[in-house]
Each structure stands twice: as structure tokens, then as C-alpha cells.
Amino acid sequence: MKLLFIGSRLYDDIDWYVRGKGIESVLTESNEEAINLDLPDQVFIVPRGMDGPKQVALMQNVNAIVPLIGIDPPLIDVAHMKEEVEEEYGIPVIAAGVRAVELTSNKIKTKEFYEEIGVATPEYQILNSPDELELDFPVVLKQGEGQGGKDIKIARSIEDVNEYFEEFDQALCEKFVEGSEISIEVLGFDGQYVALPPIYKGETTLEGTHPLNKVKTGPCMVEGLDNNLVQHTAYKVARNLASDGIFEMDFMFSKENDQLYAIEVNTRPNGTRYLTTATCGINSLCELVNMAIGEFSLSDISDRLEYHYSTEIPIGNYNGPTPNEPIKSFEANDFVVHGPEGYQRVTARASSKEGLEKLVEKLM
């Protein structure tokens, strides 16, 4: 079995799994100085875009293609390549299709999609000028495209809105919801979908604290919230997107309104994947490999589900005990260190809350 992986940045997360499966790995990357280029069996440096990976896939006669892309801009090109390669050459591409990417890469289209399928989302309006504002403060101002908190502002007054429009001509204006932030991964392939346990990412703040700076925990335990509702809603969204790969969804739970709100959905690997793996034992990136080699199964995932308490803590630079090899595997460790130097995080797990507290104390 030979697989083509697109992008090297995330490859060290699954290199141990690929080797364990006896898979021959081919990787394409546009940056010849990128990390992890020493790990795959073969590496091809190609121009940006998807034509290079497509040509390598055909030249190497690979069995499937697994894009490992964690940013939004290339996803639509991947989606178009997927449709072409699958239709013309019969090579599976484990990624979302064009429709799913178009609906999820633009926050306005995502809002309209939620309304079409009957999923609650915070009240919103499209602003072309501050004078059009009808919602009460505070509100959240966003651009249609962007990730990681980019171009998002919490406005508490009309002056804040005016300031935002000094830089932008239009905004998605959303009612600020005070409550709990939740993420969940859904895996989808060939019409099968499974929602993994939800992750708690902290409470909303008017300061707009970035998720990377918050302590997160799994599984999600928020008073008044039924995790089954989160999983059911996430499953409904994924099923209506009707595509393959990883779906990462952000929700907000308002205790005041006793309401779960859908915020956004991403069709790519995401930042909470380590916590999800620590909590339930299912590694979403490894499941992309399983999809590619024909070993993805809902019943198999159900049989492999584990139950742990987990947490993810931003630490800057990690100086604790050395993890076992492979260092990115929870099968070999009860903690994983990830992220670039200066912005590292530790994700740890244990079978009890008390055990988790002791482990975190040891690691810190």
C-alpha cells in the first residue's frame, strides 16, 4: 500500500502509525525548508497548488491521497483536485469536497447553512455600515473568511463598530453569547459519520481570549449541557455536509438561555485533536489513514473507544519528563507535547480526576 501525503507540518503526528501499518509513504511539500521532511520514504518538493501533488500521485501510482493541511486557504483547491482525481483516475482523496468547503470556509454561508438544516446559531446580521446595526451590544464582528481569531472583534459600543469599519467594508455581526465554548470532531467517510466526545475550551470573555491561551479539558463537563445533544447536532451538520474527512465544529452553550448554538465548522485537522485522542483513544489523523487503506469502520471505532480525563495546558517551553517513543502517540504515553517552541502545550490524560491532577503536577 502506497499513500501520498500533502503537507509535512502535521506528518510527525502520524509517521509512527504509517510505519506501523507497513505503508509506503510519499509526501509533497512546497517549502524545501519545512519540518518533518526526513520522515517519509519519499519527498517531492513541488510548486504551491495541487497540480504538483496530482502529478506525483499519478507518477508514483499511489493507492490514495491524504492531505494534511491545517489552514483554510488551500482547502478549496484540494476539494477541486479531489473531484478531478477521483472521477478521472479513481484515486481516493481523503478530504472534503467542493460543496462542503464552500459552505464552511465562508462564515456567512455557514450561517445560512445552519438555518437551512435547522441548527440553532446566534442571531446575526450582515453589516455594510455601522448605521445598519440592529443587534444590542455586545456583538461580535467577523469577516466571512479567516481562522484562528483573525479579524474578529468584540464590540461593546458603536465606537468599536466604527473602528472596525475603518479597516473593513462589511462585517458579519453576531450577538455575543455568554457561555461555554465547546469543540467536537466528527469523522466522515463514504456516507458514514461518527461524532467523538466534545471538548471544553473555557468560557467566553469580552476580552476575546484566544483559545490557545486557555486551559481545555475533556470530556466536556458543563452543568446543564447534555453531551449527547452536542454529538447529535454535530452528526447532523456533518451528515448534511455529506463529505469525507475530519469535521471540527465549534459550539457555544448559553446557561442563561439553556441553548446550544453552532458557531462554525472546519473541514480540516484542528487544534483540539490531541485532547480528543487523549480523551477517547481515537486519533483523527490516524483515522484519515484508515480511510485511505480501507480500514475505517464505525463498529471498530466503537470497540476502540476509551474513557479518560484529559487536559491541555499552554506552557511556552516544556522542560518536564521526556515522553516515550513515539512521542506523539498516546498509545505509548499518558502525555504528549506539541506546538512550536515558545508556544508549546502539554496534553495529558489519566483514568481519574485525581490521577490527572497528580500527572499535571509532575509534568509542570
Side-chain angles (χ1 to χ4, degrees):
M1 179 70 71
K2 183 189 289 189
L3 299 184
L4 171 66
F5 297 92
I6 302 176
S8 68
R9 189 175 68 86
L10 306 182
Y11 186 76
D12 61 331
D13 280 7
I14 58 169
D15 177 65
W16 61 276
Y17 190 75
V18 172
R19 292 184 181 279
K21 287 286 187 179
I23 296 168
E24 183 178 351
S25 56
V26 181
L27 185 140
T28 61
E29 172 59 56
S30 61
N31 178 8
E32 61 183 11
E33 297 182 357
I35 61 174
N36 302 324
L37 296 181
D38 58 324
L39 298 178
D41 295 315
Q42 295 187 75
V43 173
F44 293 85
I45 303 300
V46 299
R48 290 185 181 277
M50 290 300 119
D51 188 61
K54 181 185 74 173
Q55 296 303 325
V56 170
L58 298 177
M59 175 181 66
Q60 289 291 311
N61 194 28
V62 301
N63 299 100
I65 300 173
V66 182
L68 297 176
I69 297 173
I71 57 176
D72 290 341
L75 296 181
I76 191 63
D77 291 335
V78 172
H80 283 293
M81 183 269 290
K82 170 188 173 73
E83 295 194 354
E84 176 189 352
V85 168
E86 290 185 342
E87 181 177 346
E88 295 187 15
Y89 304 102
I91 302 174
V93 179
I94 314 304
V98 172
R99 174 180 173 271
V101 173
E102 287 180 341
L103 286 174
T104 59
S105 61
N106 183 288
K107 294 180 177 64
I108 297 172
K109 289 184 178 180
T110 304
K111 284 282 194 181
E112 294 169 349
F113 170 67
Y114 285 149
E115 293 180 330
E116 287 174 8
I117 65 173
V119 169
T121 188
E123 186 180 359
Y124 74 99
Q125 64 177 121
I126 309 303
L127 288 185
N128 293 300
S129 76
D131 297 336
E132 297 177 355
L133 180 64
E134 297 176 353
L135 300 176
D136 295 331
F137 291 107
V139 295
V140 183
L141 302 173
K142 305 177 181 179
Q143 290 301 290
E145 299 179 354
Q147 69 180 82
K150 184 177 183 295
D151 300 330
I152 294 179
K153 180 182 181 68
I154 297 176
R156 309 188 208 194
S157 66
I158 193 63
E159 287 76 22
D160 289 338
V161 180
N162 287 331
E163 184 179 279
Y164 192 80
F165 271 83
E166 291 177 3
E167 184 174 357
F168 302 102
D169 296 325
Q170 187 184 72
L172 168 61
C173 181
E174 185 178 82
K175 181 66 180 173
F176 176 81
V177 176
E178 184 175 356
S180 305
E181 298 180 57
I182 300 149
S183 279
I184 184 172
E185 286 184 293
V186 179
L187 302 173
F189 184 66
D190 197 24
Q192 300 183 89
Y193 302 94
V194 57
L196 300 177
I199 300 300
Y200 172 68
K201 299 201 299 184
E203 299 299 298
T204 57
T205 65
L206 286 172
E207 291 73 30
T209 304
H210 195 283
L212 290 181
N213 298 321
K214 293 183 178 181
V215 174
K216 309 179 189 71
T217 58
C220 177
M221 291 182 287
V222 173
E223 183 179 357
L225 174 63
D226 183 356
N227 282 347
N228 289 326
L229 173 62
V230 182
Q231 291 178 297
H232 174 78
T233 307
Y235 172 86
K236 179 179 181 179
V237 172
R239 181 169 51 81
N240 279 278
L241 286 172
S243 196
D244 297 334
I246 299 170
F247 304 89
E248 188 261 346
M249 303 180 200
D250 291 334
F251 290 91
M252 205 80 71
F253 177 65
S254 168
K255 300 179 182 67
E256 179 180 358
N257 299 331
D258 190 28
Q259 178 66 57
L260 181 71
Y261 294 104
I263 304 299
E264 63 180 63
V265 52
N266 301 301
T267 56
R268 52 172 169 76
N270 64 89
T272 58
R273 65 184 185 277
Y274 294 100
L275 260 176
T276 301
T277 306
T279 302
C280 70
I282 304 300
N283 183 319
S284 57
L285 291 188
C286 293
E287 291 306 317
L288 293 182
V289 175
N290 288 341
M291 294 173 194
I293 64 177
E295 294 185 6
F296 178 76
S297 162
L298 299 188
S299 60
D300 177 61
I301 288 178
S302 179
D303 290 341
R304 290 188 288 116
L305 276 175
E306 301 172 0
Y307 301 91
H308 302 275
Y309 292 93
S310 64
T311 188
E312 183 175 297
I313 303 172
I315 57 169
N317 287 309
Y318 176 71
N319 297 305
T322 303
N324 298 318
E325 292 287 346
I327 61 174
K328 291 295 188 75
S329 167
F330 280 102
E331 295 180 14
N333 296 283
D334 51 15
F335 71 98
V336 166
V337 181
H338 50 100
E341 289 188 11
Y343 300 92
Q344 289 182 319
R345 286 163 283 163
V346 171
T347 299
R349 73 178 189 180
S351 58
S352 67
K353 292 181 181 179
E354 295 77 14
L356 183 59
E357 291 173 0
K358 290 179 181 179
L359 174 59
V360 169
E361 184 177 348
K362 181 180 77 172
L363 296 175
M364 298 298 109

